[in-house]
Amino acid sequence: MTLTILGASGGVGTELTRQALDRGEEVVAICRRPDRIALPDSPRLTRVAADVLDTEAIAKALDGRDTVLSALGTGDGEKPGVLAAGARAIVAAAPARVVSVGAFGTGRSAKAAGWLTRTLAGVFLRAELDDKVGADETILAAGGTVLHVGPMSDGPVSATWRSVSLDGVPRRIFPAGVSKATVAAAMLDAADTGPHGRILVPLAR
């Protein structure tokens, strides 16, 4: 299948693109500056320049796409609104399958995360919290899947990773970290096999 990746030049987006190509998929990689996607050219990779805040450009880029994975994030100095705009654009394009990345300890995962993680998320994500939760709810309401992730790091895909539902999250004082590569692997599997229309939490083990 052809996978369309939003935010393809970021850490998770680059891993999504790399791993999808390694799996033999066709990839449409969308971001504001496609030249910043740090991967070699491939006959199965199409780079598309589009900004989610440009309604016409992003609608054209997403038109007819069957499977969309969103690795959108809020960059330094950006005002909140990017995530919600991206979610609205995805839903408007009506793809069959959507998988997006969110933050563990926010929105529906707040209770499962525990009070300390909720507090930390509220402090460190304060400026973008409403944007994140709003984007998640837009995706979920349309039947998409959102992966809520803890602190992310560089590094390879965990050999023991798994995705769990919110009621299966292990109780911890501090949120479990996970590599961006592991998050990307979990997103690709969720797009391929489901389950759909729910929140999943990828864990390194």
Side-chain angles (χ1 to χ4, degrees):
M1 60 182 173
T2 298
L3 300 178
T4 300
I5 298 171
L6 278 179
S9 62
V12 175
T14 299
E15 277 296 331
L16 278 170
T17 305
R18 184 198 323 276
Q19 292 182 36
L21 291 170
D22 287 346
R23 294 185 185 199
E25 309 289 6
E26 302 278 341
V27 177
V28 176
I30 302 173
C31 58
R32 285 177 293 187
R33 292 282 306 276
D35 58 300
R36 292 185 176 178
I37 300 172
L39 294 172
D41 289 334
S42 164
R44 289 183 285 106
L45 173 62
T46 302
R47 304 172 194 253
V48 176
D51 188 330
V52 295
L53 297 178
D54 184 336
T55 305
E56 185 175 341
I58 199 65
K60 182 178 179 181
L62 292 174
D63 184 45
R65 304 301 181 191
D66 179 68
T67 301
V68 177
L69 298 99
S70 175
L72 288 171
T74 303
D76 293 339
E78 280 188 323
K79 293 182 179 180
V82 170
L83 305 181
R88 290 193 298 270
I90 292 169
V91 170
R97 287 175 289 190
V98 180
V99 180
S100 181
V101 64
F104 186 62
T106 68
R108 298 190 192 185
S109 69
K111 184 177 180 180
W115 72 269
L116 181 57
T117 300
R118 287 197 302 270
T119 301
L120 291 172
V123 171
F124 290 104
L125 301 176
R126 179 171 52 191
E128 55 190 291
L129 187 58
D130 289 344
D131 191 27
K132 284 183 175 294
V133 174
D136 290 352
E137 290 302 318
T138 297
I139 296 297
L140 291 166
T145 300
V146 179
L147 272 69
H148 275 199
V149 304
M152 289 190 288
S153 61
D154 295 326
V157 177
S158 169
T160 55
W161 78 267
R162 59 195 174 109
S163 287
V164 300
S165 58
L166 290 180
D167 59 6
V169 176
R171 294 295 179 180
R172 295 173 53 96
I173 295 176
F174 294 101
V178 64
S179 71
K180 296 168 189 173
T182 301
V183 172
M187 291 179 71
L188 288 169
D189 275 21
D192 188 29
T193 62
H196 303 293
R198 60 189 290 192
I199 290 177
L200 298 173
V201 180
L203 301 172
R205 59 181 183 275

